[in-house]
């Protein structure tokens, strides 16, 4: 009696990259003439901005820049001032052997490993340190599995396979507008860092409805300094 083998193709999410990349932070920031000179460095921040993520021929390419922001105390007025500089980067990562090709969901985050910032003069600030990128990429992988056997007196034992399947991926620009009230009119807005938190995701009519909140911090200098 002939043995019959039944197969089917199963699609599931596959991790194709999970790694860390170190980026050097080495720059000299020149304070423009329209800003006060530096008296004392207050704080230095480094934030990643990813412009492009591309998976091609077994390799992931990430392009963007590190936003280096320095807060300092002015020499004459003693007020808080801010200056910044962009540090472009391009990183390539080899994907795991046998990784699925095509469209992939890539998540990039990061953290400062260490940072040293000092004023060389009233118009020059030296920044040295390292930033670590966390890269996580997932793609769809088609695998052929045996689903049933029959004939030739074969006996079979079936098991249930569990996995994750991606039903959609994409990035969408969200515009948020909200007035911020101050006790007194600011002399200057130094920075407005924003963070977003997803609170709920629902599938409705073939679309993903995402709800969450955007948190905004406004760093400003008051008229009193």
């Amino acid at each position: 009696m002939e043995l019959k083998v039944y197969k089917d193709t199963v699609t599931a999410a596959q991790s194709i990259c999970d790694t860390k990349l170190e980026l050097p932070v080495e720059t000299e920031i020149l304070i423009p003439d329209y800003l006060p000179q530096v008296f004392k460095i207050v704080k230095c921040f480094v934030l990643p901005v990813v412009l492009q993520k591309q998976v091609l021929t077994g390799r992931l390419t990430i392009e963007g820049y590190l936003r280096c922001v320095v807060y300092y105390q002015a020499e004459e007025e003693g007020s808080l001032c801010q200056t910044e500089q962009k540090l472009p980067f391009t990183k390539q990562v080899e994907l795991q052997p046998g990784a699925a090709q095509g469209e992939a969901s890539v998540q990039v985050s990061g953290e400062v490993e260490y940072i040293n910032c000092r004023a060389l003069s009233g118009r020059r600030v030296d920044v040295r340190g390292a930033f670590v990128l966390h890269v996580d990429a997932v793609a769809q992988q088609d695998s052929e599995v045996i689903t049933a056997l029959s004939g030739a007196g074969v006996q079979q034992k079936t098991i249930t396979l569990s996995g994750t399947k991606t039903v959609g991926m994409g990035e969408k620009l969200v515009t948020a507008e909200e007035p911020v009230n101050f006790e007194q009119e600011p002399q200057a807005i130094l920075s407005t860092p924003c963070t977003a938190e997803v609170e709920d995701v629902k599938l409705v009519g073939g679309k993903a409805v995402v709800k969450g909140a955007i948190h905004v911090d406004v760093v400003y200098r008051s008229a009193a300094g």
Side-chain angles (χ1 to χ4, degrees), residues 62-178:
I62 303 172
E63 295 182 4
Y65 62 87
L66 296 178
R67 182 170 173 248
C68 183
V69 181
V70 177
Y71 291 101
Y72 68 92
Q73 185 179 356
E75 186 177 40
E76 298 176 358
E77 304 172 356
S79 58
L80 183 66
C81 298
Q82 178 257 338
T83 187
E84 65 177 76
Q85 188 160 301
K86 297 178 180 179
L87 307 176
F89 68 83
T90 299
K91 280 289 186 179
Q92 291 187 335
V93 184
E94 296 292 335
L95 302 180
Q96 297 178 4
Q101 301 296 319
E103 189 175 8
S105 174
V106 182
Q107 302 294 328
V108 181
S109 59
E111 61 187 4
V112 174
E113 191 171 62
Y114 73 93
I115 197 76
N116 295 318
C117 182
R118 63 191 181 101
L120 300 177
S121 69
R123 292 290 175 189
R124 296 168 58 202
V125 176
D126 182 74
V127 182
R128 294 288 183 270
F131 191 90
V132 178
L133 285 179
H134 300 267
V135 183
D136 183 16
V138 176
Q140 293 294 95
Q141 176 69 55
D142 294 334
S143 301
E144 192 175 57
V145 297
I146 297 176
T147 54
L149 300 171
S150 68
V154 68
Q155 296 183 4
Q156 57 183 344
K157 179 181 178 181
T158 60
I159 61 173
T160 301
L161 299 177
S162 61
T164 303
K165 182 178 181 179
T166 303
V167 297
M169 61 182 68
E171 297 181 1
K172 185 175 181 180
L173 181 65
V174 177
T175 301
E177 296 183 5
E178 182 70 24

Side-chain angles (χ1 to χ4, degrees), residues 180-189 220-225:
V180 178
N181 299 319
F182 299 92
E183 295 182 359
Q184 56 180 333
E185 184 176 356
Q187 185 183 61
I189 301 295
Y220 68 96
R221 184 171 65 243
S222 65

